[in-house]
Amino acid sequence: MKKTLIAFCLLFLSSVAYAETLVISQNISVDYETPAILAHSGDQLIFKYEDWSFSHSVVDPEELYPAIDLTGLDQDFIVSIFVPESRKILPPWLALLAKEQGDTFGVELDNIKLKALAGGRVYATYSMEAKEGNIFVLEEQKIHHFQLLGAKETFQRLLNNIKDR
């Protein structure tokens, strides 16, 4: 009886920490803590907590940068933000833009996180200076962008909770 009660308590406590699941595609989901505020603004879903927040949006290659249509180059562009060697396949002006975007995100060799999922690939970075994390989930037909404002631990938790369905 005591073991059953302990197991039940542990199960209950673990489900409280991550009580919700956001399904971002047929292949990928994200477990998240119940937010204080959940809002939808434009094309972003915003999760607001007491001392941190994150948002999710689907990247539109036609609107990622004003006056530049990245249709067909969007996946290579996102990868090149995190993997400088991959910029060699881009036109020089786009390689420069990828470097500038990487600098804006605070991308450095020691803060890049790569994760393989059956349904896609994850590229992420966290800037200690800005207390901001950016996570991109690349699927065959879609790119998802998560932006987190908060501590590195919450960034790592969010990153760990992006998973195959």
Side-chain angles (χ1 to χ4, degrees), residues 34-81:
T34 303
I37 298 172
L38 179 61
H40 188 264
S41 177
D43 66 346
Q44 287 192 331
L45 191 54
I46 303 165
F47 301 76
K48 179 75 175 114
Y49 301 88
E50 185 176 320
D51 60 349
W52 66 286
S53 64
F54 78 92
S55 64
H56 168 266
S57 61
V58 175
V59 173
D60 182 345
E62 294 178 3
E63 296 183 19
L64 188 58
Y65 290 100
I68 300 174
D69 183 355
L70 291 176
T71 302
L73 295 171
D74 51 345
Q75 299 250 348
D76 291 333
F77 175 73
I78 297 298
V79 170
S80 70
I81 292 171

Side-chain angles (χ1 to χ4, degrees), residues 124-135:
T125 189
Y126 181 82
S127 168
M128 293 293 283
E129 183 179 313
K131 294 190 182 200
E132 177 183 331
N134 284 279
I135 303 169

Side-chain angles (χ1 to χ4, degrees), residues 6 13 15 22-23 31 40 46 59 74-76 82 92 121-122 126 131-132 134 143 149 154-155:
I6 291 171
L13 290 174
S15 67
L22 173 65
V23 176
D31 290 339
H40 188 264
I46 303 165
V59 173
D74 51 345
Q75 299 250 348
D76 291 333
F82 298 91
R121 299 169 291 153
V122 179
Y126 181 82
K131 294 190 182 200
E132 177 183 331
N134 284 279
I143 300 173
L149 301 173
T154 54
F155 166 77

